[in-house]
Amino acid sequence: MEANNPDLEFHADRAEEMVDDEYVAVTQETFVDTAIEEFRAFEPDSDETTVYYLYVTDNSGRLVGVMSLRELLNAPEDDVVEAHMSTDLITINATADPEYAASEMAERDFPALPVVDDDGVLVGVLRTDDMIDVVEEEATEDIMKSAGFSFADVEASRSTAILESSITKILRLRLPWLLVALAGGLTAGLVIEGFEETLEAIIVLGFFIPVIMDMGGNVGTQASTIFVRGLAVGHIDDRNAMRHFRREAGVGLTIGVIIGAIGSAAAYLYLMYVRGLEEPLATHGDVLSVSAVLFVSLAAVCTIASTVGYVVPWIAHKLGYDPAAVSDPLVTTVKDITALVIYFGMATLLLGHLV
């Protein structure tokens, strides 16, 4: 029986670096009553540590079986544990990646899994509580990458890692996708130029461009961050990706309708009572048309941004790129161009008589 509980390593590379050695193990020829006494004598270092299983080894320490506490208590005390143990073992190799181990535990819904070396020798157990640290670490690292940083050990010392990374390394990670965003910005400028006549005739349309752009950007960033985190912790995969895409499109549409209604109402009040009726918006109908343009544009932009915020990181992931580093620049590019096309397209459709 082991009785130590070393501190967990941050950013462990192998499962054996995260094992908890607070567990009860006996050899296969141990009698049931002796094994029960081992349980009674077991005193964990932490009150939060709960032991669910009895691990059975041979005389060389190799794991050969496992018994739940209930099975142990129901077995005749004068039998040996070998007669009642389960030999259908599910184990984690000591050299396995902690992220893989966390995924295995989540999939099998076990509170603990034994860790063995290449020879089958029991080296410790992994508990669900310990795996939460791994999941959170991987998710946080991906979110850090979305800001343009990717380091071998983000959790160990985020600030130190960022400050000590070479300029070349940071530029190599960040510049390619920022150049994509730059190209998108220039393309958005061309879109505005394409509707220059509309903008010159109805100058007030320029007042609402930041509203359209910012709301689309915020919704897209929210969606991509949520998706990347879900991808990192294993909640999103090939089996459920399409369901998440459809759901996020619905969420985006709902957000867009709510934001669009509020935004169009604010635009109506501004144009009617702050700015006042003046050329070219000289009638109540013109003001309503501008409000309608803003409503439809916000609803459409939020829906598109939300959906693209999920689709772009997924495509990047499937193509082998880092979704956290790729998402924001590409989502911003797609969102900006589509937002302007929708906005000015609706304005030309509903306010074309003023141009």
Side-chain angles (χ1 to χ4, degrees), residues 264-288:
S264 61
Y268 175 82
L269 294 174
Y270 168 75
L271 294 174
M272 284 293 296
Y273 301 108
V274 178
R275 182 179 180 274
L277 292 176
E278 59 182 60
E279 295 293 341
L281 304 178
T283 68
H284 182 253
D286 294 336
V287 172
L288 286 177

Side-chain angles (χ1 to χ4, degrees), residues 51-236:
V51 177
Y52 302 94
Y53 302 104
L54 171 72
Y55 298 101
V56 184
T57 66
D58 61 17
N59 292 325
S60 298
R62 288 187 292 268
L63 184 67
V64 294
V66 63
M67 290 181 68
S68 69
L69 182 56
R70 184 185 65 178
E71 291 170 337
L72 179 65
L73 293 176
N74 288 333
E77 294 187 354
D78 56 352
D79 282 0
V80 293
V81 295
E82 184 178 17
H84 300 277
M85 69 183 187
S86 172
T87 57
D88 185 15
L89 301 175
I90 299 173
T91 63
I92 298 293
N93 190 276
T95 60
D97 186 277
E99 193 173 357
Y100 164 79
S103 176
E104 279 290 292
M105 294 188 71
E107 181 178 341
R108 299 182 184 279
D109 196 26
F110 287 156
L113 280 178
V115 178
V116 298
D117 63 16
D118 292 336
D119 296 323
V121 175
L122 180 66
V123 297
V125 297
L126 288 177
R127 303 186 191 280
T128 303
D129 292 343
D130 298 337
M131 291 297 97
I132 291 175
D133 295 333
V134 176
V135 172
E136 291 295 333
E137 176 187 343
E138 295 298 329
T140 300
E141 182 173 349
D142 277 344
I143 291 172
M144 284 287 287
K145 288 177 183 177
S146 71
F149 300 103
S150 178
F151 305 101
D153 193 357
V154 175
E155 282 292 340
S157 179
R158 298 190 187 104
S159 297
T160 302
I162 292 171
L163 292 173
E164 293 184 357
S165 290
S166 67
I167 294 178
T168 302
K169 182 177 180 181
I170 295 176
L171 292 180
R172 187 168 59 248
L173 173 67
R174 300 177 66 178
L175 266 183
W177 305 113
L178 292 177
L179 290 175
V180 172
L182 174 62
L186 294 174
T187 304
L190 292 175
V191 172
I192 294 177
E193 184 181 30
F195 290 96
E196 185 177 1
E197 184 178 351
T198 301
L199 189 57
E200 287 180 349
I202 313 172
I203 298 176
V204 73
L205 290 176
F207 179 84
F208 299 110
I209 291 177
V211 178
I212 302 292
M213 304 288 278
D214 288 349
M215 286 311 306
N218 289 331
V219 172
T221 299
Q222 280 185 342
S224 63
T225 300
I226 292 170
F227 184 89
V228 170
R229 187 176 182 86
L231 196 63
V233 300
H235 293 162
I236 300 175

